[in-house]
């Protein structure tokens, strides 16, 4: 009887110790990309909102039809200037 209780306690303890690692490995990685806007002296997180806004900007400005990270510094400055004039309205 004592061995069964010890075995059961060991199983529960093992499960309690392994569960946080199992949850952590299944969690989506949090990758954060930030860009610094020199003119406005602030950072911008590149997330889904920024992707949508840059898509609108690219439609309005066909010469910038490339990925943001591949644009020149002056093109990025133009985008951030436009972005500050067109904030999200959530």
């Amino acid at each position: 009887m004592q061995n069964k209780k010890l075995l059961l306690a060991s199983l529960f303890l093992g499960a309690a110790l392994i569960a946080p690692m199992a949850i952590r490995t299944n969690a989506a990685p949090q990758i954060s990309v930030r860009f610094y806007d020199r003119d406005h002296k602030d950072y911008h997180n590149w997330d889904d909102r920024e992707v949508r806004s840059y898509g609108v900007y690219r439609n309005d400005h066909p010469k910038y039809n490339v990925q943001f990270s591949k644009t020149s510094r002056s093109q990025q400055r133009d985008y951030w200037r436009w972005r500050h004039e067109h904030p999200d309205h959530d």
Side-chain angles (χ1 to χ4, degrees):
M1 188 68 172
Q2 185 68 19
N3 286 340
K4 288 183 182 180
K5 287 183 180 179
L6 185 58
L7 179 63
L8 190 59
S10 297
L11 288 174
F12 280 121
L13 180 62
L17 293 174
I18 293 173
M21 291 187 298
I23 292 170
R24 184 72 178 150
T25 58
N26 290 336
Q30 298 295 321
I31 299 172
S32 178
V33 177
R34 293 179 3 150
F35 289 94
Y36 184 68
D37 179 4
R38 290 181 180 200
D39 294 340
H40 295 94
K41 296 179 176 59
D42 61 352
Y43 285 93
H44 297 271
N45 292 327
W46 198 264
D47 53 13
D48 292 338
R49 290 172 138 181
E50 211 61 59
V51 169
R52 282 192 305 271
S53 294
Y54 189 63
V56 171
Y57 180 77
R58 285 170 59 176
N59 285 338
D60 293 345
H61 302 84
K63 67 180 181 177
Y64 297 129
N65 199 12
V66 295
Q67 268 185 311
F68 182 78
S69 60
K70 296 185 181 192
T71 59
S72 67
R73 183 168 286 167
S74 66
Q75 290 171 331
Q76 289 181 1
R77 288 178 67 193
D78 290 344
Y79 171 70
W80 292 128
R81 192 175 305 115
W82 177 88
R83 188 67 173 101
H84 278 275
E85 294 169 0
H86 298 85
D88 293 330
H89 296 291
D90 297 333

